Amino acid sequence: MSDFSLRKATKEDVSSIVSLCRETIMEVYGPFIPQEALRPWMEGDAVLALVSEQWPRMTVAVGETEAGEDEVVGVAAASEDAVDLLWVHPSSFGRGIGTALLGRLEEEMRAEGHRTGRLCCFSDNLRAMRFYQARGWTMTGDGINEEAGVPETRMVKTLADEGGG
């Protein structure tokens, strides 16, 4: 699979998004989030609850498998001026999917009139931290993610250019 497209998620995507999230969580977050904090996401209903609630705001990246079937390989969502989530399946890292999803969220925030975007990233997720910084996001502070109990970094990006657009 080398090409992908972006589109708004549909209710029919929920199970695929849940699978993508579960397959991604352990590989990406497992090295720095305690197992007991991951358990509800891996074994419980936390992922299904999140996706079931937020799918109408999600954008998915869809690629074609070798068998010619569509497969959800990335997902992102924002609310107001904040990136809520951006997950790309580890098997699809390095293909520009995360960049395209983030760009779409930034465009949507800009179109809604937001001059600045914000997000939080797990501080120990170095790949994600480098990803955001390489795309113009800057660190503004840090804290502890209450749910996971691990450090997180707050980041911002100016979305509107100097000309006001």
Side-chain angles (χ1 to χ4, degrees):
M1 174 176 45
S2 58
D3 293 324
F4 63 91
S5 60
L6 301 183
R7 63 169 171 75
K8 284 304 212 181
T10 65
K11 189 169 187 160
E12 290 74 28
D13 293 322
V14 168
S15 65
S16 295
I17 296 169
V18 168
S19 294
L20 173 127
C21 294
R22 285 204 171 127
E23 292 169 12
T24 301
I25 286 171
M26 188 55 74
E27 186 168 336
V28 174
Y29 301 142
F32 58 87
I33 294 181
Q35 295 302 306
E36 51 282 0
L38 290 177
R39 191 166 289 117
W41 295 91
M42 295 302 300
E43 300 170 9
D45 293 332
V47 171
L48 179 59
L50 173 80
V51 175
S52 294
E53 177 185 321
Q54 294 197 17
W55 73 261
R57 295 186 304 103
M58 292 180 170
T59 297
V60 293
V62 178
E64 191 174 295
T65 66
E66 289 181 13
E69 299 175 12
D70 284 347
E71 176 182 35
V72 175
V73 294
V75 62
S79 54
E80 301 293 325
D81 64 342
V83 174
D84 292 332
L85 62 90
L86 194 160
W87 289 339
V88 174
H89 194 282
S91 67
S92 294
F93 284 172
R95 295 182 174 178
I97 294 167
T99 299
L101 285 166
L102 183 60
R104 176 70 57 92
L105 294 182
E106 291 172 1
E107 288 172 16
E108 290 173 0
M109 289 187 282
R110 193 178 297 111
E112 291 173 6
H114 300 289
R115 297 182 58 78
T116 304
R118 59 188 173 90
L119 62 82
C120 288
C121 182
F122 292 119
S123 303
D124 290 333
N125 189 348
L126 301 180
R127 181 183 188 101
M129 293 290 293
R130 287 189 301 267
F131 169 83
Y132 290 120
Q133 288 176 314
R135 284 145 190 88
W137 291 78
T138 58
M139 295 181 279
T140 61
D142 49 41
I144 298 294
N145 179 282
E146 292 181 24
E147 185 175 1
V150 298
E152 67 180 7
T153 300
R154 289 182 296 278
M155 304 180 89
V156 298
K157 180 177 181 177
T158 299
L159 301 172
D161 60 39
E162 294 297 320

